[in-house]
Amino acid sequence: MDDQGVFEEFLFRLSDEQVRSFPEGYVEIRSWQDVDLDAPLRLQVSPRSLAEHLRVMERDGELAFPDEQPIVGALQLFLVHLDEAIRTRRSGETELVPFRAGVKSLVSG
């Protein structure tokens, strides 16, 4: 799966939420399951950066989701990390940034 295909699969898996991708390299999240979002969240990913991040996570994704292709398992694991970051963020933290062990939430600015 190429970078754009990975990104499209990511957006497809978020199709129940209000999300928009921007060419500047982020995805705006306006709704998230049962979480009340005071303001839109900005996940700092582009097709290339997301695919690169997921390729680094493939081994962990394969361990967590052994019945999936490694890149798909990594995507599923990334979505778990994203959910955790959204649910545990502090007030004012609207920037979401992928990092090796998950997704960080930061204050915008």
Side-chain angles (χ1 to χ4, degrees):
M1 193 178 309
D2 68 2
D3 294 358
Q4 189 62 39
V6 169
F7 194 71
E8 288 172 8
E9 180 65 22
F10 170 68
L11 294 177
F12 173 76
R13 289 175 184 245
L14 294 181
S15 62
D16 289 343
E17 308 305 330
Q18 292 179 356
V19 297
R20 267 180 57 196
S21 65
F22 290 83
E24 294 83 9
Y26 68 92
V27 172
E28 183 179 80
I29 302 170
R30 293 189 161 274
S31 71
W32 191 259
Q33 299 169 14
D34 60 345
V35 178
D36 184 25
L37 301 180
D38 303 352
L41 305 178
R42 288 173 42 137
L43 174 63
Q44 301 298 321
V45 293
S46 66
R48 181 178 177 186
S49 70
L50 178 64
E52 287 174 356
H53 183 73
L54 294 180
R55 287 187 185 102
V56 170
M57 293 178 58
E58 280 186 338
R59 178 73 180 129
D60 293 338
E62 190 174 24
L63 291 171
F65 300 97
D67 295 333
E68 297 290 346
Q69 295 176 359
I71 192 77
V72 174
L75 175 57
Q76 288 181 200
L77 186 57
F78 180 76
L79 289 169
V80 170
H81 292 165
L82 179 59
D83 182 66
E84 179 182 21
I86 291 172
R87 292 179 185 281
T88 61
R89 75 193 190 295
R90 294 186 181 116
S91 179
E93 294 179 338
T94 58
E95 298 293 317
L96 302 169
V97 181
F99 75 109
R100 178 66 184 116
V103 177
K104 291 181 187 180
S105 59
L106 306 168
V107 174
S108 178

